Amino acid sequence: MDQQQQQSAIQGAKVLMVGAGGIGCELLKTLALSGFHDIHIIDMDTIEVSNLNRQFLFRRSHVGQSKAKVARDAVLRFRPHINIRSYHANVKNPEFDVDFFKQFDVVLNGLDNLDARRHVNRLCLAADVPLVESGTTGFLGQVTVHVKGKTECYECQTKPTPKTYPVCTITSTPTKFVHCIVWAKELLFAKLFGDKNQDNDLNVRANKAASSSKETEDVFERADDEDIEQYGRKIYDHVFGYNIEAALSNEETWKNRRRPRPIYSKDVLPESLTQKNGSTQNCSATDGDDSTTVSAMPLLGLKNPQELWGLTQNSLVFIEALKLFFAKRKKEIGHLTFDKDDQLAVEFVTAAANIRAESFGIPLHSLFEAKGIAGNIVHAVATTNAIVAGLIVIEAIKVLKKDADKYRMTYCLEHPSRKMLLMPVEPFEPNPSCYVCSKTPLVLEINTQKSKLRDLVDKIVKAKLGMNLPLIMHGASLLYEVGDDLDDIMVANYNANLEKSLSELPSPVINGSILTVEDLQQELSCKINVKHREEFDEEKEPEGMVLSGWTQSPATNGESASTSNNESAVDVTESSSGPEIASKKRKLSETQPENHKRETENVESEDDDDLVEIENPMTVSKKKRVA
């Protein structure tokens, strides 16, 4: 009888899948083979060549097509009698509102970013629809169940945002290779090949060093008749030589730090690279080829991306990559942003980061390692995706049967723990301090006289609270709102408010003020208690404001959870020991070693296909289990 009830629940269920990538392909196949008859899929991405090694529903002929549509068509070929509807769209689009979500019996997430996952969590809460979350990072994975009022919601435990670094550390005193990567990617690459009108912290250095080096006012500007190689050497000497010398002139900075070494092209490179390496016209890609495949490595006889280049090789790659950008991709200059799938961009950033690392006495990294750091990549494992997809379906069936006592959060480990690679843990009650599902007020420390409303909107409401269409009220006064139904006068008033300090707003926001922040699309509302604060630590509080009640995950060994001991900023490790799973239910606090800490990671999986949040199962002892 139980089997019949289960099949009836499965066949009668209407399921929403969000994401058709690494986890999504496995999940759709497993749902179809498990007897589900009505499946809807939302995914905004198109298929890339790099997806094909593990997203088995796709073929090379599908490259450039909608993931959701191709996945649907592939499954219907072996399950033609079931209903699958695909949406090639962003789940945050207005049509996917609370009413849309209410039509489903369960929602299954296979997303690749924190913002979208928070959005789906809030819509599920508003629609009172159970959510099964999932995530994979390499060999690690997890599946969690979220049911309104019964288990914690996805946001009851705070997720870390990507690690940011103070500008002064990046531009002046790097101590880790990731600092050099950020400098090369966000400052140098952006300055040379990105939007010329965009503010860039290299401008300050450029102006300071220009006077000492007798360079023109903007050394990054290339004259029309200027030889590309000479321009490349000028940039090289400026950023790795003159700028370092300028930094060394401040003796106070280096009292307790290792002094960097200025590096000039004449000390590393031959007088003429053209004679040594040949012309860029003979490179491995022609003007008709895909620009992202252009590469400097074949020109220099470099084949292995895992080989560690020395200073000379990095310098050669730096110059040749820069020359190729101007020779082969000149039309793109001024509009480029770093892309981890752009071979030439990765080569340039790797070389620049390694030269800077050499200057500051930081260990060098291979192209393969640097690409992982620059793109925050943990390479995906197809087997993990398949295991997690199976676990999602198991939990979805429990939800449909309303078998709450058997719900489990299941963790997939890289190494056995108590002879187990899959560790099930009972779900926990909602966190009473969660501002999303428990409506707990937040506290914001901010300088109300200096900080603008725009800072509050961008850094807090959107970045931290994840609201897409925010509305901000102070008492009965509406300070800010977005929406298509606003008239021009209202839009102008709200835009004017954005540029005012909080204390200068029509309804001044000062110490003790209480703001109401809402997102009508997500049907989410929360209160923010404002506390005026004059000063902030630039190193520890670079945003110039602190939000309590929404907190970062604890750091490990004094570092952000987004960095590991080898500084790759992408690795997640699991302890080899953990709580014993026995037939008798016990609190984790009875078995948890003291040295186990909460570890969460927000990184991109390879090619942005797979969900990417991993939580250590040994860190939940303080949560209250669902009765």
Side-chain angles (χ1 to χ4, degrees), residues 11-12 89 273 409 470 552 593 618:
Q11 292 176 5
L273 299 182
M409 303 185 296
Q552 297 290 347
M618 274 69 79

Side-chain angles (χ1 to χ4, degrees), residues 252-289:
E252 190 69 25
T253 302
W254 310 106
K255 277 187 177 181
N256 300 308
R257 292 186 175 96
R258 177 174 177 172
R259 296 172 65 88
R261 171 172 69 95
I263 302 174
Y264 291 92
S265 61
K266 63 181 177 62
D267 300 325
V268 181
L269 299 172
E271 288 187 10
S272 175
L273 299 182
T274 304
Q275 295 178 355
K276 181 179 179 65
N277 301 312
S279 169
T280 56
Q281 301 303 316
N282 300 321
C283 68
S284 61
T286 63
D287 292 331
D289 289 338

Side-chain angles (χ1 to χ4, degrees), residues 189-198 332-337:
F189 184 89
K191 181 65 179 175
L192 289 172
F193 310 118
D195 186 354
K196 301 295 183 183
N197 298 320
Q198 192 73 26
E332 299 176 66
I333 293 176
H335 310 286
L336 282 168
T337 56

